[in-house]
Amino acid sequence: QYIEEISLEFAQQMLVFEKLCGEAGLSITNQSDIDKINGFMEDLEYSYGGEDLFEIELARLGLSRYSIERYLRSEFYYSLIHEYRYGENGIAQIPAEKVHEKFLKDYLHYDGALFAYVDYNTGTAHSFEYTDEEARAYFETDFVKVRHILYKTVDSSNVKLSDEKVAQKKSKAEATLNAIKNDGKKLDDFKSDTEDSGYEYVFTRGKMVANFEKAAFEMEVGEVRLVETEYGFHIIEKLEKTEEDYSGKVGEDGKTKGGNKANVISAMSAEKIRSEALDLLEKLQSGEVKEYPAKDTNKKYYIPLEANFIKKDDANYASFIEMLDKIEVGKYGEKNFVGDATYVIRRLSMSEKDITASIYTSIEDEMAMTEFSEYVQSFYDQIELNEELLAKFDVVAIPKLDGQLYTFG
């Protein structure tokens, strides 16, 4: 169905492009464009063993040179009519006031600073010196150890399962919890049920999804609890941390493997860096500090951010944009990206004069593309589809029907 829909859509587009170019007196005159079409046809001939064999294959498929060349020309017709309408001297250029209006609606303006937990040049965590006693104390209070099994309520693409399947997973999880609490079963007895890649975890705050983390830190050692997260139903058992969990285990080769001491140092260092970020935020908000400090060579983790714009629908920065959108103009806010950095951000005011040349061009191109698509589609109701002819062909053959399939009424 999808192939049929896009094939029919493309056939309509070709017809409209040809009509519009014909009415505007536009033709493919650029020699490099003509050479591309001719070169493609020559390559096709060569791939089929020469002109004669190529013609035989075309006849077998019910195609013609014209149909293939027409397909190739459509790309250039699109460019011709698009330039004719929206180019430098186009007849339907996007008004500047519309571009400015969209700029003010779709973009956010900010500056700030980031306090990075990781050196972006080397990929290694910024760290400070701590005594073993300090690190061990942090490990005891700020790390937990659990094991769990997961009954997933999302598929491999993290799309929610049907209500019926979710209910089945919940029922199974509840049955497992009941067996552990009332029937003398152990979590290990159900290990084969888990739909998670991991079974046992030692972690600190910010490393797991919120409900999982909250439960793990609330629970008592030995407690078993059912917890629901966006991934499904977890049966979690809290475990006692051991020396090996902190220091690692010495193998037969005499080398220490595993352990979390390095993770503890990283977590303590990140906490220190974040604390410094929050201290700056407080001083900026109170007015004690008027502007972001300049780059300090002694603080490689501190990076000032120059004023910049960001598009509100940029999916790559969704959480950052969500944070920024909540800040009032002229006010400050912060966002902790676990494992990356704490951002201290100020939202700046915007006027149409702030728009940059690149943003203007981007918005203009986006609006022209949308307007052009709507313009082309406005001709579709004038086009008649030969339903009787279409019914005679398999969907794969639709693009081969040339001008017989559609005609302007």
Side-chain angles (χ1 to χ4, degrees):
Q1 183 180 357
Y2 174 71
I3 294 173
E4 180 175 356
E5 288 173 357
I6 61 174
S7 298
L8 294 175
E9 170 83 6
F10 187 76
Q12 290 180 95
Q13 287 179 357
M14 285 199 304
L15 197 61
V16 175
F17 294 162
E18 291 167 351
K19 172 184 172 66
L20 295 176
C21 285
E23 292 176 347
L26 303 172
S27 59
I28 304 172
T29 57
N30 187 305
Q31 190 58 48
S32 66
D33 294 341
I34 295 172
D35 291 342
K36 285 181 182 178
I37 295 173
N38 291 337
F40 186 88
M41 296 301 295
E42 290 172 1
D43 289 343
L44 272 181
E45 282 188 5
Y46 179 81
S47 68
Y48 281 100
E51 182 178 357
D52 292 340
L53 291 175
F54 180 51
E55 292 291 348
I56 292 172
E57 184 64 15
L58 288 176
R60 188 184 74 80
L61 295 171
L63 281 164
S64 66
R65 283 178 173 271
Y66 167 76
S67 64
I68 297 177
E69 290 173 350
R70 184 184 183 209
Y71 171 83
L72 297 172
R73 285 197 301 270
S74 65
E75 175 186 348
F76 298 102
Y77 282 150
Y78 168 87
S79 299
L80 285 171
I81 197 64
H82 193 278
E83 179 67 19
Y84 174 74
R85 290 183 61 81
Y86 308 106
E88 186 175 350
N89 298 308
I91 64 171
Q93 293 184 39
I94 305 299
E97 58 268 22
K98 293 292 185 182
V99 176
H100 291 145
E101 180 182 329
K102 191 168 180 61
F103 167 65
L104 295 175
K105 176 176 176 288
D106 291 355
Y107 282 79
L108 294 167
H109 193 198
Y110 70 94
D111 64 4
L114 67 85
F115 290 76
Y117 309 141
V118 177
D119 185 326
Y120 297 132
N121 294 319
T122 64
T124 57
H126 291 296
S127 63
F128 301 95
E129 294 293 332
Y130 295 99
T131 65
D132 191 58
E133 289 75 16
E134 290 172 327
R136 285 178 180 274
Y138 190 91
F139 180 69
E140 287 303 316
T141 58
D142 290 87
F143 275 71
V144 291
K145 181 179 181 180
V146 301
R147 56 188 170 195
H148 86 127
I149 56 176
L150 169 63
Y151 299 96
K152 290 183 70 174
T153 55
V154 294
D155 63 18
S156 58
S157 300
N158 287 332
V159 176
K160 192 80 170 178
L161 301 179
S162 67
D163 291 344
E164 181 182 359
K165 289 184 178 179
V166 170
Q168 290 173 356
K169 295 296 182 78
K170 182 178 182 180
S171 178
K172 193 168 185 179
E174 289 173 340
T176 298
L177 181 65
N178 182 66
I180 293 172
K181 287 193 169 185
N182 301 315
D183 299 338
K185 295 288 187 179
K186 303 294 184 183
L187 195 71
D188 282 343
D189 295 330
F190 300 92
K191 187 176 180 180
S192 61
D193 284 356
T194 191
E195 297 173 272
D196 187 27
S197 57
Y199 181 57
E200 190 171 286
Y201 296 99
V202 178
F203 63 94
T204 188
R205 292 178 176 83
K207 298 299 183 181
M208 296 290 183
V209 292
N211 288 355
F212 191 101
E213 175 188 304
K214 183 174 183 294
F217 277 93
E218 285 178 352
M219 292 165 64
E220 299 293 333
V221 171
E223 182 182 346
V224 180
R225 185 182 296 187
L226 189 157
V227 176
E228 183 179 4
T229 72
E230 54 262 48
Y231 297 107
F233 297 99
H234 308 253
I235 307 296
I236 304 174
E237 179 181 8
K238 189 164 184 175
L239 305 174
E240 187 81 53
K241 299 189 294 289
T242 67
E243 174 62 26
E244 284 187 359
D245 292 328
Y246 175 76
S247 301
K249 183 178 181 179
V250 179
E252 294 180 358
D253 57 1
K255 295 181 179 180
T256 301
K257 299 178 182 178
N260 285 276
K261 184 174 182 178
N263 294 333
V264 172
I265 299 300
S266 293
M268 294 176 73
S269 300
E271 188 174 289
K272 175 179 171 60
I273 292 170
R274 175 162 170 75
S275 177
E276 188 174 325
L278 296 179
D279 181 61
L280 174 61
L281 174 63
E282 183 178 341
K283 290 177 179 177
L284 287 166
Q285 290 174 327
S286 68
E288 181 181 342
V289 173
K290 302 298 182 185
E291 294 293 338
Y292 294 99
K295 176 66 178 174
D296 186 342
T297 55
N298 294 319
K299 295 181 178 180
K300 295 181 179 179
Y301 53 87
Y302 174 74
I303 306 172
L305 302 174
E306 296 182 359
N308 201 359
F309 297 96
I310 190 166
K311 201 165 184 287
K312 290 181 181 180
D313 64 358
D314 190 334
N316 293 319
Y317 301 95
S319 56
F320 179 86
I321 293 165
E322 181 183 10
M323 175 267 294
L324 182 58
D325 203 24
K326 292 178 180 177
I327 303 173
E328 295 180 24
V329 172
K331 302 296 185 179
Y332 298 87
E334 62 86 15
K335 179 73 174 180
N336 178 26
F337 292 90
V338 177
D340 179 22
T342 288
Y343 285 74
V344 178
I345 297 297
R346 173 173 57 183
R347 182 168 173 180
L348 302 175
S349 61
M350 287 175 57
S351 75
E352 63 180 44
K353 296 179 182 178
D354 295 321
I355 192 169
T356 65
S358 62
I359 292 178
Y360 188 99
T361 300
S362 176
I363 295 175
E364 186 179 37
D365 289 346
E366 179 185 344
M367 295 182 74
M369 184 178 297
T370 300
E371 197 275 346
F372 186 64
S373 177
E374 293 171 352
Y375 177 65
V376 170
Q377 290 175 22
S378 71
F379 289 92
Y380 287 0
D381 60 1
Q382 302 176 32
I383 300 175
E384 295 179 356
L385 172 62
N386 189 332
E387 299 279 5
E388 184 178 349
L389 178 64
L390 178 63
K392 296 178 180 179
F393 288 84
D394 182 86
V395 63
V396 180
I398 288 176
K400 306 171 187 176
L401 299 181
D402 298 339
Q404 305 172 63
L405 181 62
Y406 280 122
T407 54
F408 273 101

